Amino acid sequence: MKVTLRSKEIKGRKLSLYLDYYPAINHPETGLSTRREFLKMYLHDRPQNPQEREHNKETKMLAEKICSKRKLEIDKGEYGFLDQDKKNTDFLKYYLQVGNKHKETNGTYDAWNSSYNYIERFTKGHCKVSELSEKFCNDYKEFLLTTPSIKSSKARLSQNAALSYFNKFKAALKQAFKDGLIQINLSERIETIRQQETQREYLSLEELQRLAKTECDNPLLKTAALFSSLTGLRWSDIKKLKWEDIQYSEAQGYFIRFTQKKTKGVETLPISIQAKELLGNPGDGDEVIFRKLHYSAYFRILLGKWMLRASITKNITFHSFRHTFATLQIAEGTDIYTVSKMLGHRDLKTTQVYAKIVDQKKREAADKIKL
């Protein structure tokens, strides 16, 4: 590979400096085959004074340094091109391989599978590693923000769903860079999609108390839902909870020691006596507490019937009980840092949405009294 510093005449009596590659390379930003890399550095064609001559001298020295750097990068395989086998790697197949690493986490694995459907649609089922570039990434981002949902052609893919799928795509790019399939870490060069705040449905304390007194056709569902409201646990963590995870000490009282299924973080979560008593008499240590509870369409029907029986018309999902725990804790004066730790959030910003909900409710309450 030969790299030569050259110049080209442009308007304004100036020379534009560029690098001439032979043979051609794939430009790391556009992904297109090219022999020229314009440096956006300029010389005076015919310098008229000492300042212009000094400018030419310094600019040319800097351009020569860049030229030498490119030669070293190319020799190390760090810039511009890949060997033929890597260039021809099927990126879609590689994308699936990266997603398969998340098989142990059902929710994450399902999200990877869903995201694959969109990258496959965008590429029409064909994409080699050599086609990846900043332009490709930004075009795909625009596609996600404007494409109809695969589940319903009448509705556009939501912004937060687009964010989730684009972040999976960026994760695949990052892994491809680590594996040496691409020479530029494209995931760092492209901006992600902004998260759109969504309405998080939750129950008021009065509604939760009313629900606790209302009969449910599936008592195990009722117990799990109320347990989530009192502890903030996700469905995935409740589903795998074992009796041995419920522990007690004189100093701490009752607490749960478990590994979060979503974040893999090891947590020690204090729980109330009432939450413990909800579970009833303990079984064998390694026995799963809610082993007979399965999420399904029928499960959602039972949940809806239970809500209507309690005169609750909100669109409540099982995850709403986790939202209920967080919102009520903040409303009752628990500081946001403690709530964040109890929820197992890695970033305090994730918890701040609940503080906004409480602030909005305070605002609404203040506006109710009028003279």
Side-chain angles (χ1 to χ4, degrees):
M1 170 63 67
K2 187 176 181 181
V3 186
T4 308
L5 179 63
R6 301 190 188 280
S7 62
K8 177 184 177 182
E9 290 186 16
I10 59 174
K11 291 181 180 179
R13 295 187 304 168
K14 288 188 177 182
L15 300 172
S16 176
L17 297 177
Y18 69 93
L19 300 181
D20 183 357
Y21 296 97
Y22 183 81
I25 66 167
N26 286 335
H27 196 282
E29 293 184 4
T30 66
L32 301 176
S33 179
T34 182
R35 281 195 53 186
R36 293 183 176 185
E37 179 190 358
F38 284 93
L39 301 179
K40 298 181 181 179
M41 301 171 70
Y42 309 96
L43 303 178
H44 296 285
D45 190 5
R46 291 180 288 276
Q48 303 294 315
N49 52 55
Q51 289 80 11
E52 291 184 352
R53 285 191 286 274
E54 183 64 23
H55 167 83
N56 280 8
K57 179 181 177 181
E58 292 180 356
T59 302
K60 194 168 182 180
M61 285 177 61
L62 180 58
E64 287 171 346
K65 286 182 180 180
I66 294 174
C67 182
S68 298
K69 181 183 177 185
R70 287 288 185 268
K71 288 178 182 177
L72 289 173
E73 289 174 336
I74 289 172
D75 288 341
K76 293 179 181 179
E78 296 176 351
Y79 186 87
F81 67 94
L82 301 162
D83 63 61
Q84 199 62 34
D85 287 341
K86 289 184 177 179
K87 284 172 65 174
N88 291 329
T89 298
D90 185 338
F91 180 68
L92 296 182
K93 185 176 180 181
Y94 177 79
Y95 194 96
L96 282 175
Q97 291 172 353
V98 176
N100 284 339
K101 295 178 181 179
H102 299 272
K103 275 191 173 180
E104 293 182 2
T105 309
N106 291 337
T108 305
Y109 180 58
D110 291 343
W112 270 95
N113 278 343
S114 297
S115 70
Y116 175 80
N117 293 331
Y118 287 92
I119 187 67
E120 184 184 43
R121 176 194 275 185
F122 174 69
T123 60
K124 296 181 173 59
H126 301 282
C127 179
K128 294 181 179 180
V129 164
S130 59
E131 298 174 52
L132 300 175
S133 65
E134 284 192 53
K135 183 179 185 305
F136 178 97
C137 298
N138 286 319
D139 287 347
Y140 179 53
K141 178 167 63 174
E142 184 62 27
F143 168 80
L144 288 175
L145 290 170
T146 56
T147 192
S149 169
I150 288 177
K151 294 181 180 179
S152 172
S153 58
K154 296 180 180 179
R156 196 179 71 180
L157 188 65
S158 73
Q159 185 164 323
N160 285 350
L163 165 62
S164 174
Y165 298 156
F166 193 64
N167 282 346
K168 300 292 184 298
F169 170 69
K170 288 186 67 177
L173 291 177
K174 186 175 182 179
Q175 190 61 48
F177 173 69
K178 288 182 178 179
D179 292 342
L181 289 179
I182 55 178
Q183 268 59 60
I184 302 295
N185 191 352
L186 291 169
S187 66
E188 291 185 347
R189 293 197 171 202
I190 49 177
E191 291 186 13
T192 192
I193 296 170
R194 286 183 59 188
Q195 184 171 9
Q196 188 176 50
E197 286 193 11
T198 56
Q199 179 66 34
R200 301 199 175 195
E201 205 65 87
Y202 69 97
L203 299 170
S204 67
L205 182 57
E206 186 272 333
E207 288 171 330
L208 182 60
Q209 291 171 339
R210 190 163 72 241
L211 197 62
K213 297 175 184 177
T214 303
E215 183 183 353
C216 178
D217 292 338
N218 187 324
L220 197 59
L221 164 61
K222 178 177 179 179
T223 300
L226 295 179
F227 190 73
S228 177
S229 298
L230 293 175
T231 62
L233 284 178
R234 297 182 182 88
W235 164 264
S236 58
D237 292 321
I238 284 179
K239 191 71 179 70
K240 66 183 182 66
L241 195 65
K242 297 180 179 179
W243 286 110
E244 62 189 16
D245 297 329
I246 311 294
Q247 300 178 24
Y248 177 83
S249 74
E250 290 290 340
Q252 298 185 55
Y254 287 106
F255 62 94
I256 300 174
R257 184 74 173 167
F258 71 108
T259 301
Q260 287 197 71
K261 189 167 184 179
K262 182 176 181 180
T263 66
K264 302 300 182 185
V266 178
E267 305 291 340
T268 299
L269 176 67
I271 62 172
S272 66
I273 295 175
Q274 190 174 42
K276 165 63 174 63
E277 290 177 344
L278 263 177
L279 301 178
N281 296 325
D284 295 333
D286 61 351
E287 181 184 349
V288 176
I289 298 174
F290 295 98
R291 68 186 186 285
K292 294 182 179 180
L293 192 62
H294 304 287
Y295 204 92
S296 63
Y298 181 61
F299 174 96
R300 293 192 291 273
I301 291 172
L302 289 177
L303 184 60
K305 286 175 65 177
W306 184 33
M307 292 300 128
L308 290 176
R309 199 173 286 164
S311 301
I312 296 171
T313 57
K314 295 175 180 177
N315 183 25
I316 297 296
T317 64
F318 194 90
H319 203 66
S320 300
F321 297 111
R322 177 172 163 86
H323 296 326
T324 297
F325 170 81
T327 307
L328 294 183
Q329 284 286 353
I330 293 176
E332 293 298 316
T334 307
D335 67 272
I336 193 168
Y337 179 80
T338 300
V339 174
S340 182
K341 289 298 181 184
M342 294 183 79
L343 291 173
H345 288 165
R346 291 180 175 177
D347 191 338
L348 195 62
K349 291 180 181 179
T350 310
T351 321
Q352 285 174 341
V353 65
Y354 298 108
K356 291 180 181 179
I357 293 172
V358 173
D359 287 344
Q360 177 61 27
K361 290 300 176 184
K362 288 179 180 178
R363 176 72 267 164
E364 292 172 3
D367 291 339
K368 286 181 180 179
I369 301 176
K370 293 181 172 60
L371 297 178

